[in-house]
Amino acid sequence: MRVAIAFILLCAAGVGARADDRPLKAAAERSLAFHQQQLELHPDSAAVHFAYAEFLADHGEMRAAVAHLRTAQMIDPLNAAIANSLGGVYLRMGRAALSAEQFQRAVTSASEVAAYHYNLGNVEFLLRHDLTAAWQIETPALLQKALAEYREASRLSPQNMEYARGYAETFYGLPDPNWTGAEAACEHVLSLSPPGVLANLQLAWVSLNLGQQADARPFPAQIH
């Protein structure tokens, strides 16, 4: 499900261009000139390189964005936002291992930020086939790492539905999941969206795997 959503969002990014985009082009040229001017005035500023890289990435210039993010990171190596942005650019370029490396760096620098844990978990879960080869790690161990990141993201931001669902859905991929943990995760998703169809189905599935057939029966009846 998360793969499909990510694909739809990426496709949607190129939809909706205006018939006459000259005002947008003019605005982009002004922004480009501004960033270049700032770079000339402050060539050693991590913030200036970071802002320019964000502009470049927004306009599809990924390689140039990476160059400026790398420069910003050399100037300010402990900046978690720079690492997170670099991880996102690498992800858009299809560089799974480099993306995960930067998201891990963001988590290490700012472990209290839920979004960084979620981003790392997404790469480890969605691109696990690429990472198992790159990291020489078995898939179950990588899925456990992803589960831990989703769990931490949900713990740090307990009202975030996306984080809660990411954590709950990851149990599906584990060869030998902790069913008690899966049950608690599904109940948390249900608490955030009481009429949720998916959470009720998940709870029924978890109860069956716990050997609680009687407990599983009420959940499908609650689906509207």
Side-chain angles (χ1 to χ4, degrees):
M1 182 177 295
R2 276 166 284 175
V3 177
I5 292 172
F7 179 76
I8 291 169
L9 289 175
L10 286 172
C11 290
V15 176
R18 299 181 183 179
D20 184 359
D21 62 354
R22 282 173 294 182
L24 293 177
K25 184 178 180 181
E29 289 176 348
R30 288 194 297 271
S31 294
L32 176 61
F34 170 78
H35 286 296
Q36 291 176 337
Q37 180 187 49
Q38 290 300 303
L39 199 60
E40 290 177 3
L41 293 172
H42 310 285
D44 297 324
S45 169
V48 169
H49 282 280
F50 180 40
Y52 189 26
E54 294 275 276
F55 170 83
L56 291 168
D58 287 343
H59 289 80
E61 300 292 336
M62 299 303 166
R63 291 184 181 277
V66 166
H68 285 282
L69 284 169
R70 281 294 194 185
T71 300
Q73 196 166 66
M74 287 194 313
I75 298 169
D76 189 1
L78 298 181
N79 190 306
I82 293 172
N84 185 66
S85 182
L86 190 50
V89 173
Y90 277 136
L91 182 60
R92 292 170 66 181
M93 295 172 70
R95 307 290 296 276
L98 289 173
S99 176
E101 175 188 315
Q102 290 298 324
F103 285 139
Q104 179 63 68
R105 187 166 179 162
V107 164
T108 301
S109 296
S111 61
E112 74 284 358
V113 180
Y116 298 162
H117 290 279
Y118 183 72
N119 289 342
L120 178 57
N122 268 342
V123 173
E124 292 174 338
F125 182 84
L126 298 175
L127 302 181
R128 58 189 178 276
H129 299 300
D130 296 320
L131 292 179
T132 50
W135 290 353
Q136 298 295 301
I137 187 174
E138 296 296 327
T139 299
L142 186 56
L143 287 173
Q144 287 290 349
K145 284 173 60 65
L147 184 72
E149 298 301 335
Y150 285 133
R151 179 173 59 243
E152 185 64 7
S154 187
R155 184 190 72 81
L156 289 167
S157 186
Q159 299 305 310
N160 188 299
M161 169 61 82
E162 193 65 24
Y163 299 168
R165 285 181 56 187
Y167 177 42
E169 290 174 5
T170 304
F171 283 95
Y172 282 107
L174 299 175
D176 186 21
N178 177 343
W179 295 114
T180 302
E183 183 178 35
C186 293
E187 287 176 344
H188 180 51
V189 173
L190 190 61
S191 73
L192 296 176
S193 58
V197 173
L198 180 61
N200 276 299
L201 289 175
Q202 287 176 327
L203 280 168
W205 166 73
V206 169
S207 294
L208 288 172
N209 280 281
L210 283 169
Q212 301 168 352
Q213 286 82 358
D215 291 342
R217 294 192 186 99
F219 295 116
Q222 298 177 47
I223 296 172
H224 302 290

